[in-house]
Amino acid sequence: MTINRWTRRAALLLASLAALLSGCTTYVTTQVTAFSDWSGNDATRTYAFTRAADQQNNLELSTYERVVANELATHAFRQVDAAQARYLVGLSYGIRSDMVTVSQPVYYNPWPAPYWGRPFDPWGPWGPYGPFPNAYVNQSYPIFTHLLGVRITERATGKEVYNVTARNSGAESSLVRAMPYLARSALADFPLGNGIVHTVKIPLDKNGAASNEMAATGAAPAAMPAPSSAPKVVQ
């Protein structure tokens, strides 16, 4: 059956709406895995960031360190010069892109035209029993996986005392925008026990606030606004 003009418009509208809804969410959900031999207390939580030799002048890493420093401060960590620090904190991070394919219905109108609209046609363009699914089409969308690792070692001995990894996925193509959520999730409920795996859900900012001042506030551009409230941990 030939799809008429109204049906084509409706099909395009439905497809657009489905794509829009698939990208909307109330929470940023992050998977967190921690390995721990933590025995420190508040009085000894002094730290400095450590870097590999080829990262000394890395501006991207400096930006992420400031985001993580904001979260460490909420757990009584105090950043000092490396010579005075009890702990060294190292970061690892990355982003990977994949394609996901979703099957979506295409609808047809069993009562094509003319459509006069209400009050002349009380059932509308689909008739009293429509619309009817005619077929399914595959739509492909990009999905991005963001990763942050935080490793804490004792400066004096080199012993690893805490290693946590946070990972989330979604339509956000920027690691910069995802980083505040990764950092807050990674350090939620610090310190976690050894071998703990859990899910952290952080509400999106309902006001859609946007800011590039990540160093001061942990905020992010509008596509993924900064965390606006405490994370919810799902064991």
Side-chain angles (χ1 to χ4, degrees), residues 33-95:
T33 304
F35 297 94
S36 176
D37 188 20
W38 184 261
S39 59
N41 56 56
D42 290 352
T44 61
R45 291 186 180 183
T46 57
Y47 77 97
F49 285 108
T50 182
R51 298 183 177 189
D54 60 350
Q55 295 178 319
Q56 294 305 310
N57 297 310
N58 189 316
L59 289 175
E60 181 183 13
L61 180 53
S62 296
T63 301
Y64 300 155
E65 285 176 346
R66 291 194 293 269
V67 177
V68 172
N70 289 340
E71 298 303 325
L72 287 170
T74 67
H75 299 285
F77 278 88
R78 182 167 56 92
Q79 190 172 1
V80 299
D81 291 337
Q84 284 77 46
R86 176 166 183 178
Y87 301 106
L88 296 178
V89 177
L91 304 184
S92 57
Y93 53 88
I95 183 170

Side-chain angles (χ1 to χ4, degrees), residues 114-134:
Y115 169 56
W116 302 102
R118 290 182 173 83
F120 306 105
D121 186 350
W123 288 300
W126 304 110
Y129 306 108
F132 291 82
N134 183 38

Side-chain angles (χ1 to χ4, degrees), residues 112-179:
Y115 169 56
W116 302 102
R118 290 182 173 83
F120 306 105
D121 186 350
W123 288 300
W126 304 110
Y129 306 108
F132 291 82
N134 183 38
Y136 287 83
V137 296
N138 291 329
Q139 297 286 342
S140 295
Y141 304 96
I143 187 170
F144 300 89
T145 300
H146 320 98
L147 176 71
L148 171 67
V150 180
R151 182 174 184 260
I152 303 177
T153 59
E154 291 183 341
R155 183 182 63 85
T157 65
K159 176 185 176 182
E160 183 179 87
V161 293
Y162 200 72
N163 194 328
V164 61
T165 302
R167 184 192 311 268
N168 61 37
S169 299
E172 177 54 65
S173 61
S174 170
L175 182 59
V176 175
R177 292 173 178 146
M179 188 56 65

